[in-house]
Each structure stands twice: as C-alpha cells, then as structure tokens.
Amino acid sequence: QVQLEESGGGLVQAGGSLRLSCAASGTIFSINAMGWYCQAPGKQRELVASIISGGSTNYADSVKGRFTISRDNAKNRVYLQMNNVKPEDTGVYYCNADLNSWGGNYIRWGKGTLVTVSS
C-alpha cells in the first residue's frame, strides 16, 4: 500500500524560512504529479504548489516568488521550500500524489504537517 509522509513543519517567525519534505513509500510504478496543499484554520484545503513528472510547476498566486516546489524522482520525494513566510501561510500542509501502482492509478494524501508562522 502506498503511503505519503510529510515532515519539516513547525513554528517559524514571519520573514523566516522552512522546508517541507514528503516521501512516498510502497509499490510505486510511476508518479504523474505531486503537490502541496494547505488547510488554514476554518478554511478549505487549497493548492499551494504542484509539480508534474516533466518538471513543470504551478503555484498559488499568494506564494509565487516565495515558495519553491521541487522533486526527487529517484527517491519519490517532493519538497516545498518556504521563504519569507507570512502569518497567513499558517496551516496544515498536506502532500498529495497522483501515482500508478498495482491495480491502476491512485490519488494519495499524507496526514499533514503543521506550519505556524508568528508575527
């Protein structure tokens, strides 16, 4: 069974940096896309950034120029470098993967890692 596990969350001051990591484990034939979503308190989960197998990236307008998503295809890992963070970046960050395993195509989510940005 494929699992995603995030790490790297924590408390950071506004203007600081944080790096999130997500590792996919299990029987994985290929990963089409991976991404990071954020669920702020009282709000719906929203896309922060995504990256496809070819390397193309997509970012929410609110994080463009501050966050960078990258991927290690050999290790089935995705990263989110968060620079110049703001209090509004606070939330639970979830890793997401569109992947192929036994039985076909699956969408998998991690359990999330909490990021708290203090002002």
Side-chain angles (χ1 to χ4, degrees), residues 3 9 20-21 24 28 32 41 58 77:
Q3 292 184 326
L20 305 183
S21 298
I28 300 170
N32 303 315
N58 181 47
R77 286 179 174 266

Side-chain angles (χ1 to χ4, degrees), residues 20-98:
L20 305 183
S21 298
C22 172
S25 61
T27 301
I28 300 170
F29 298 154
S30 61
I31 299 180
N32 303 315
M34 299 187 80
W36 290 95
Y37 288 71
C38 176
Q39 186 163 16
K43 296 186 177 181
Q44 290 187 335
R45 193 177 300 186
E46 296 181 340
L47 176 69
V48 175
S50 63
I51 183 167
I52 64 174
S53 58
S56 295
T57 58
N58 181 47
Y59 295 94
D61 288 343
S62 60
V63 306
K64 285 180 180 177
R66 299 189 298 122
F67 292 8
T68 302
I69 188 170
S70 60
R71 182 172 162 177
D72 185 333
N73 291 329
K75 296 182 179 180
N76 290 332
R77 286 179 174 266
V78 66
Y79 306 96
L80 186 68
Q81 179 65 44
M82 306 169 66
N83 296 331
N84 190 24
V85 294
K86 303 176 181 180
E88 50 264 43
D89 296 325
T90 293
V92 179
Y93 282 72
Y94 296 90
C95 177
N96 166 276
D98 175 350

Side-chain angles (χ1 to χ4, degrees), residues 97-109:
D98 175 350
L99 55 87
N100 300 300
S101 181
W102 294 111
N105 177 259
Y106 300 90
I107 303 296
R108 287 289 180 263
W109 292 89

